[in-house]
């Protein structure tokens, strides 16, 4: 009877479960009603109205960036303090950020974060501050120079105020995107209150330190019955050179010839090493005497003399991108020799005209860029890049040109090279190369390339080499030096001299098949050996 009554009570409770679930569902629906959503949207709108006034002078428009806060890919708007507000954020994706705050008794102020100035930027360096603490800042004035992963960019102010505190001074390195670098205020009398200000770990972008784990609870000692200790066997010592058994004569011969007994297998009784074993070893390995190890006066090894050179931002980016290219892109290489006698003759004629008109001299590399651009227009399959869902074929022919500087390797871009004249290409290449050496390239000077040309022949005399593809491109042309060769003449015993230049095309086999790469090289060689066709 007792069990029966319990079952009846439980059955009565189970009858009310549907009503309780309907009640909870209604409460959940009310919590996420349209009114609640509109309030979130209103908070988003308010947040956008409070967006900071500091933007870089050269923002990167219409390029995709990975938003570090929402985890979604959006089109860049204005990078402020490391947070990028795009056009395609939903209401719940906007992360709240303290704009003008008054916590901890501080007056209203603005926290300036490290901005994201390029699609691949995750951290940056402060090259130098052009404004000092206490200076007034006006719209259009430059606050500081930020060294990104590709160039040095100026960050300017859009509204007036006062620079109250510089968190990251000149030369600060490896500052994460979003980490606070400075504080500004509206009133000059508020500057002194930020003299000893330091941002919290959550505001500076640094990960919060983990709280130390609580110590495990102490266990009460449990008395165990005392047992008599068991005798332990002494561990056997590992064999050393002194443990190898050898006859006195064999041991003396080994010492005289600097031979280790551990490398000789004994053939005597019980494995003893005898004279014959030493003689056989010396006959098979030669009577070599090991060179003495160089030691200092106190008997210690002499330390190596070296210099540690810190990684620059451009060196880090170059290393990561080239490693990614070699690990993920299936490279293959095609090499061809092109006769450049007619090309050199045309260049000489054009330079005479350029000098008469005061223009820039045309180099062989300028003619190579023009020929490569026209070959890409003729074989557009090589002017493409690989994605997971499709192959993107570009209508613009933008040629990146590799430029080596003291700071590292830069690849400024010549846009629409197939449509420009040789004089325009020559002037633009010289201008961009000078900016690269001065470390003053802007994002629009190196972004948007579809193909790359690397020339080590003219400046360094390299005969032939294979270049690494610059992702996301699918091809790069490595240009070697021109050299004179003997070629057969018209008669049986006649010969002529001609200058040939070796070029190697590195292709992404996912995009460019072997026959397509060969077709592009054939078109390129045709323009080089008959340069008049480039002028048509």
């Amino acid at each position: 009877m007792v069990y029966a009554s319990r079952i009846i009570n439980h059955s009565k409770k189970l009858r009310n479960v549907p009503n309780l679930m309907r009640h909870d569902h209604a409460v959940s629906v009310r919590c996420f009603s349209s009114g609640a959503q509109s309030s979130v949207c209103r908070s988003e709108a308010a947040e956008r109205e409070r967006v900071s006034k500091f933007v870089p002078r050269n923002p990167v428009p219409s390029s995709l960036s990975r938003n570090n806060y929402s985890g979604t890919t959006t089109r860049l708007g204005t990078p402020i303090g490391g947070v990028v507000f795009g056009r395609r954020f939903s209401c719940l994706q906007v992360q709240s950020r303290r704009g003008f705050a008054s916590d901890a008794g501080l007056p209203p102020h603005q926290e300036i974060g490290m901005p994201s100035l390029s699609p691949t930027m995750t951290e940056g360096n402060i090259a130098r501050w052009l404004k000092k603490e206490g200076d007034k800042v006006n719209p259009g004035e430059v606050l500081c120079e930020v060294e990104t992963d590709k160039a040095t960019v100026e960050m300017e102010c859009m509204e007036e105020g006062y620079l109250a505190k510089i968190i990251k001074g000149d030369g600060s390195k490896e500052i994460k995107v979003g980490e606070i670098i400075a504080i500004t205020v509206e009133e000059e009398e508020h500057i002194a209150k930020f003299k000893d200000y330091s941002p919290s770990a959550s505001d500076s972008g640094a990960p919060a330190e983990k709280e130390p784990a609580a110590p495990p609870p102490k266990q009460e000692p449990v008395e165990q019955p005392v047992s008599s200790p068991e005798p332990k066997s002494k561990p056997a010592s590992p064999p050393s050179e002194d443990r190898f058994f050898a006859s006195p004569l064999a041991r003396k011969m080994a010492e005289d010839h600097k031979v280790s007994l551990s490398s000789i297998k004994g053939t005597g009784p019980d494995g003893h090493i005898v004279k014959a074993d030493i003689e056989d070893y010396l006959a098979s390995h030669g009577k070599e005497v090991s060179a003495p190890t160089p030691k200092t006066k106190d008997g210690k090894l002499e330390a190596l003399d070296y210099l540690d050179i810190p990684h620059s931002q451009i060196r880090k980016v170059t290393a990561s991108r080239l490693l990614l290219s070699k690990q993920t892109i299936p490279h293959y290489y095609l090499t061809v020799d092109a006769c450049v006698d007619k090309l050199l003759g045309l260049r000489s004629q054009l330079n005479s005209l350029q000098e008469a008109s005061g223009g820039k001299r045309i180099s062989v590399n300028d003619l190579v860029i023009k020929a490569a651009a026209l070959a890409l227009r003729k074989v557009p399959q090589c002017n493409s890049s690989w994605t997971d869902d499709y192959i993107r074929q570009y209508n613009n022919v933008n040629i990146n040109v590799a430029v080596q500087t003291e700071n590292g390797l830069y690849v400024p871009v010549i846009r629409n090279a197939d449509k420009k004249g040789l004089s325009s290409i020559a002037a633009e290449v010289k201008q961009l190369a000078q900016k690269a050496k001065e470390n003053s390239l802007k994002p629009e000077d190196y972004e948007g390339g579809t193909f790359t040309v690397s020339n080590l022949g003219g400046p360094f005399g390299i005969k032939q080499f294979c270049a690494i593809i610059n992702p996301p491109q699918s091809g790069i042309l490595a240009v070697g030096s021109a050299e004179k060769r003997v070629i057969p003449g018209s008669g049986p015993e006649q010969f002529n001299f001609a200058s040939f230049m070796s070029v190697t095309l590195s292709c992404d086999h996912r995009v460019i098949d072997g026959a397509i790469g060969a077709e592009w090289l054939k078109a390129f060689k045709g323009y080089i050996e008959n340069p008049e066709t480039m002028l048509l």
Side-chain angles (χ1 to χ4, degrees), residues 489-508:
S490 57
E493 295 183 358
Q494 295 180 355
F495 58 88
N496 297 320
F497 291 95
S499 297
F500 286 86
M501 178 179 67
S502 296
V503 293
T504 300
L505 177 65
S506 304
C507 301
D508 183 352

Side-chain angles (χ1 to χ4, degrees), residues 97-113 133 163-168 179-185 190-205:
R97 175 175 174 81
R98 185 176 57 179
F100 288 88
S102 59
D103 59 335
L106 295 174
H109 61 278
Q110 176 66 32
E111 296 174 343
I112 311 298
E133 292 184 359
L163 185 59
K165 180 70 175 180
I166 296 177
I167 307 298
K168 301 293 183 180
E179 191 172 349
I180 299 175
I181 61 175
I183 301 294
T184 60
V185 294
H190 294 161
I191 297 176
K193 297 183 180 180
F194 291 89
K195 181 179 180 180
D196 300 326
Y197 177 83
S198 60
S200 61
S202 60
D203 293 337
S204 62

Side-chain angles (χ1 to χ4, degrees), residues 259-471:
V259 175
S260 176
L261 293 176
S262 61
S263 59
I264 302 174
K265 182 178 181 181
T267 59
D270 298 329
H272 281 58
I273 300 174
V274 295
K275 175 184 176 182
D277 299 329
I278 302 295
E279 292 176 345
D280 293 342
Y281 180 84
L282 293 176
S284 60
H285 293 79
K287 299 180 179 180
E288 298 177 357
V289 179
S290 58
T293 306
K295 295 184 179 180
T296 57
K297 294 181 179 180
D298 55 358
K300 296 182 179 179
L301 292 176
E302 185 177 358
L304 294 175
D305 188 13
Y306 59 88
L307 174 65
D308 290 334
I309 302 175
H311 297 310
S312 62
Q313 287 295 111
I314 184 63
R315 178 61 58 188
K316 290 181 181 179
V317 174
T318 302
S320 62
R321 288 178 64 83
L322 294 183
L323 180 63
L324 174 67
S325 176
K326 291 296 288 184
Q327 289 180 338
T328 60
I329 296 179
H331 287 61
Y332 74 92
Y333 310 96
L334 301 174
T335 302
V336 71
D337 295 335
C339 182
V340 294
D341 287 337
K342 293 183 179 180
L343 186 77
L344 297 177
L346 177 63
R347 172 176 174 261
S348 178
Q349 297 177 15
L350 293 176
N351 282 334
S352 300
L353 298 176
Q354 287 290 98
E355 292 175 357
S357 61
K360 299 288 184 181
R361 288 179 59 86
I362 296 173
S363 66
V364 174
N365 198 49
D366 300 330
L367 293 163
V368 168
I369 293 172
K370 180 66 174 180
L374 293 176
L376 288 173
R377 178 61 64 190
K378 195 171 184 179
V379 187
Q381 295 92 328
C382 295
N383 195 41
S384 307
S385 62
W386 172 267
T387 67
D388 293 336
D389 300 324
Y390 46 81
I391 293 176
R392 175 170 293 173
Q393 190 173 113
Y394 300 101
N395 296 323
N396 304 93
V397 180
N398 301 337
I399 305 293
N400 287 105
V401 183
V403 177
Q404 182 65 41
T405 67
E406 295 180 355
N407 300 320
L409 182 64
Y410 291 87
V411 281
V413 62
I414 308 297
R415 301 183 185 278
N416 299 316
D418 59 322
K419 302 177 182 178
K420 293 182 177 178
L422 290 171
S423 58
S424 300
I425 292 176
E428 195 169 344
V429 167
K430 289 179 175 60
Q431 179 185 6
L432 291 174
Q434 184 63 31
K435 293 177 69 175
K437 294 177 181 178
E438 296 173 354
N439 197 23
S440 60
L441 287 174
K442 299 177 181 179
E444 57 266 23
D445 294 332
Y446 51 78
E447 291 181 347
T450 61
F451 190 85
T452 301
V453 172
S454 178
N455 190 342
L456 294 179
F460 303 105
I462 301 300
K463 180 179 178 181
Q464 187 267 337
F465 69 101
C466 298
I468 302 175
I469 297 174
N470 181 23

Side-chain angles (χ1 to χ4, degrees), residues 98-241:
R98 185 176 57 179
F100 288 88
S102 59
D103 59 335
L106 295 174
H109 61 278
Q110 176 66 32
E111 296 174 343
I112 311 298
M114 172 61 71
S116 177
L117 302 176
S118 71
T120 59
M121 178 177 174
T122 59
E123 60 183 24
N125 303 335
I126 299 294
R128 60 172 181 151
W129 282 91
L130 303 181
K131 292 291 184 179
K132 300 179 181 179
E133 292 184 359
D135 289 353
K136 184 177 181 179
V137 291
N138 295 314
E141 294 182 344
V142 178
L143 284 177
C144 64
E145 293 180 352
V146 178
E147 182 183 352
T148 70
D149 54 351
K150 295 180 179 178
T152 300
V153 182
E154 296 176 340
M155 190 173 74
E156 67 177 26
C157 176
M158 297 299 294
E159 296 182 7
E160 61 178 321
Y162 294 89
L163 185 59
K165 180 70 175 180
I166 296 177
I167 307 298
K168 301 293 183 180
D170 293 348
S172 299
K173 296 182 177 297
E174 299 180 357
I175 306 173
K176 301 295 182 182
V177 170
E179 191 172 349
I180 299 175
I181 61 175
I183 301 294
T184 60
V185 294
E186 292 183 342
E187 304 296 336
E188 186 175 5
E189 56 268 18
H190 294 161
I191 297 176
K193 297 183 180 180
F194 291 89
K195 181 179 180 180
D196 300 326
Y197 177 83
S198 60
S200 61
S202 60
D203 293 337
S204 62
E209 298 182 358
K210 297 182 179 179
E211 297 182 359
K218 296 182 178 180
Q219 298 182 354
E220 296 294 335
V222 180
E223 295 183 1
Q224 299 181 352
V226 180
S227 59
S228 59
E230 298 180 358
K232 297 182 179 178
S233 60
K234 186 177 180 180
S237 59
S240 61
E241 184 172 310

